[in-house]
Structures are given as structure tokens and as C-alpha cells.
Amino acid sequence: MRRLVAVVLFCLISFPSLWAAGEIRIVVEAGSYDRTDCVVSTGVSSLDLKGDLSAVVLYERIGKKRIKVSCQLLREKDGTPHLYWILTGKTPAGTMREFIAERSRKGERKAIMKTEDTGKALILKKNDNEILYYNYATVYPPAGIDPAFQRSGFIHPACAPSGNVLTTIQPKDHYHHYGIWNPWTRIEYDGNMYDLWNLKDKKGTVRARNIAVVYQGNICAGYLANLDHYIFSPSGEKVIMNESWSVKSWNIPDKFLWDFESGLHPSTDLPVLIKAYRYAGFGWRATEEWTKENCTMVTSEGKNRPEIDGTTARWIFVTGTCGGNSRSGFLVLSHPGNYNAPEPLRIWDENSNGGRGDAFVNFAPTKNKDWQLMPGKEYGLRYRICTYDGEMTADEANRLWNDFAYPPKVFIK
């Protein structure tokens, strides 16, 4: 695995020459929304790719000056090259900014956004500060607990910039809760029903298969991982669906910002029908420090914890007390292109767990609607997560959602 990391990172900073000569002019239009430190990108597959190795240097043109801007070139999972950078500072709605990209053999090779492989997990970092762990090795339940609760392919811990941990796994009340994970509760396949969420039922599970790509650089660090969805039947185990996770963490000030993209596709010649059920899909079990006494929830529709469950929303954030005196939080943004958007929410109310009111949040696109997945097709779900210290506001959450849902338009001139 460590060798794979090194090879992929070398490839990502050693793209073929994009331009035989000259330079590329890029115009970014803010569109209808004010922008602050916004992630932008442009595909460059239409440009003339050469065989020699080179780097890309990006400048912003301000009047007659060229100001160097950090950038990073990545290949997307479909193989197309994309140039990423941060639209730093404030960019008012209706304005545009101009950039120049050119070939250089002296491109940036340091990495602020880092990926570390422990042999059991990938750690995404900003400098030396841990953002999240992706656990690809199997994690077993505590001694004396049914081994059916074992799991791989989940995120824990996910942290705030201060280092406060915002997730938990294997809580005694729900041993099948694994930080941030993405299984489905009611799956109909070949005339039978399976449950890949409630592991104690022993009807199915999700397992990490491999890490396809990892990368790091000045703009983002991340990985592309593959997982398999298993059903358990009297005839044995069977993979009925493959899943890819594309996770990118971004170099923005003050907060941790990262994208989670799931790609689902049936792995046999039969369809997979995800039946409507009150919870399934992208789930987050928050730190056990948080109870109804010290954390609050707010959605994009202005709803608070007692009224959230079963409503739809573009985003939800939870802010709570960590370590007795500091406040940190977790914002989840749901993309408008997701199935059944704006998605229904499943949350635990204040009476959960015998009145403790632990925090559990689930964007559940199939809460009130079946979802049929056909062979030969891929079905995507996209979320953006922001972890922060202090408090979140609705205005800030809306700004971040606008950046995610309707990013600035980028044109190559």
C-alpha cells in the first residue's frame, strides 16, 4: 500500500505537458452568489497532451500584474485531467477573475494537504493536523460481542481543526454504528429482502475492497476507494453491488472541508431495489460527548432538533461541546443532483438512548421512496462536509452550500 501511495503521488505531480507553447487564459465567473475561498476547477482534456513530463503553474492576472496562485492537477476517476485551485478571498456575485496557466518544470512539489497510509487506514491531513481516517482494514467489535458487528470501509475519526473528534464507532447502544458510513437497510434482490445496515441480523454487510488512487498536494488530498455490498443467504455470501468512494479534502482557511462522493452500481445482471425505509445511506454517528444537554441541530429550512426528523433539507449542522469547554461542529451539505433531493433526514430526537439524546444524523434518500438500480449503470450521491470550531450560522452554511451546489463557472479562453 505504501508503494502504491508513492507511485500515485509521483504520477499526479508529473503530468504530460499540457501546452506545447504559450499559455492558457482561464476566466472564472462568480455567478449569482458571493464567493469566499471557493474551490474551483476546470477540465483540460481538450488541450494538447504531450509525452514529456511537466508541471503547471497558475497566475492570477490583476491589471498588468501576475500573482502566482497555488494549483493542483489531478486525474478524475474517468481518467480526465482537471486543474484545481482555491478562489481566494472574496469574489462578489456578478464579477469575474482571470487566470493564466502555463507549463513549467518548476511546479510546486510540496504538499500542505497530505495523505498517510498506516497499513490499516488512510489519514487525510492539513500539514500535521488530522482531518479524517478512512478505515480499509476490518475493525472487530470488543471481546464478548458478536463478531457479526465487524466492519471495514468507514470514516473515523473525523475531526475539527482543533483536533476535537466528532465521530464515534461501536457505541454500546448500537455496535453497528461506524462513524461515517453508507449502507442500505432494505434491499430487494432476486425476490428476497436483505439488510446491510443492521449487522446483527446477519443478512448482509459492506466491505472495503481496495484503494485505487491516493493523492496529495497544495490544494487537496484524497483517495478513490472501492467497496463491495454483500448479501448473506443459505447458499453463502454474494456481492450484489459495487461502490466507489471519492473523498477530497480541500485547503481552505480556518475550517476542514471535504467532499464525499459515492458511486453505486449493481455487480450482477439483476437489478437492486433499495426499498423505502426510515433510515439508510449516508450516516453519521457523532461523538458520545454530545447529548441533548450540550449540542444543537439546525437545518437549511430553519428547523431545530425536535422538528427535524422526516423533513427534507439541503444541509444540516450540529454544534456541540467537546472536552468540557470548547465548541466544535459538523455541517453536511447535500447536493441538489442527489436522488430524491432535497433529501429526507433521519435524526434521533432528544429522547433517544433512554433520554440521553445522542446525536445521529442520516441523509436518507430512500426514506419515503424506493430507488431501483439497474445493471450497467452507476448511481451517484454527493455530500460536502465542513467541520469547524466555534459556531456555525445559517448564512455561512448557505454560502458553503451555494459553492457546492452551484460553483463558479470556469471557461478556458
Side-chain angles (χ1 to χ4, degrees), residues 48 158 172:
D48 186 22
K172 292 180 180 179

Side-chain angles (χ1 to χ4, degrees), residues 229-246:
H229 293 236
Y230 286 80
I231 58 170
F232 301 156
S233 69
S235 60
E237 300 181 355
K238 185 175 185 177
V239 177
I240 62 166
M241 190 159 58
N242 302 130
E243 183 179 13
S244 63
W245 280 16
S246 176

Side-chain angles (χ1 to χ4, degrees), residues 385-399:
I385 290 83
C386 176
T387 64
Y388 53 91
D389 295 307
E391 302 293 334
M392 176 61 64
T393 66
D395 285 347
E396 177 76 354
N398 279 324
R399 182 187 66 77

